[in-house]
Amino acid sequence: MKIYVGCFAPHVGPPRPNQMRLVWREVAREQDPPRVVEYTCGCEDTFYELCREAGLAYIRRITRLDGAMQAIHETYRWRCKETHEVWIALLNGEAQ
């Protein structure tokens, strides 16, 4: 996990060998906003949110281009503990 001076949230670490490959599903934009419990810094074009909903958790990947939102993708829902382990792996560059 990288922390930059002037940023308020962590950045995703550099990719490590043998990364866990996450399955990302595109999301319809009209759904209700999730409960975000953790997030990475929004200063980069791609940032991530750890979300909870109905007793489960998942990770959202938000991609922007020139400041405009381009796409939102989500992982599958898992139990909160499992999702938090994947979240830590993402921050450490062990998941993509």
Side-chain angles (χ1 to χ4, degrees):
M1 168 177 33
K2 296 188 264 184
I3 298 178
Y4 293 84
V5 174
C7 292
F8 299 103
H11 289 240
V12 173
R16 293 192 180 186
N18 302 321
Q19 285 184 320
M20 173 190 332
R21 296 293 247 166
L22 300 175
V23 175
W24 296 101
R25 303 175 307 137
E26 194 160 354
V27 176
R29 293 187 188 235
E30 59 270 355
Q31 78 183 77
D32 292 332
R35 178 175 166 230
V36 177
V37 293
E38 291 187 46
Y39 53 89
T40 63
C41 188
C43 73
E44 296 184 354
D45 288 336
T46 301
F47 61 98
Y48 300 86
E49 298 173 334
L50 175 61
C51 305
R52 288 196 183 153
E53 183 180 291
L56 297 174
Y58 58 98
I59 299 170
R60 286 169 51 110
R61 179 180 68 194
I62 297 108
T63 306
R64 293 185 297 218
L65 181 62
D66 297 325
M69 185 152 339
Q70 296 298 307
I72 300 174
H73 293 88
E74 296 178 351
T75 62
Y76 291 104
R77 271 87 169 139
W78 301 295
R79 287 186 227 152
C80 293
K81 182 181 179 199
E82 293 168 332
T83 308
H84 195 263
E85 290 170 359
V86 174
W87 176 254
I88 296 300
L90 179 70
L91 293 178
N92 290 327
E94 298 167 351
Q96 178 182 15

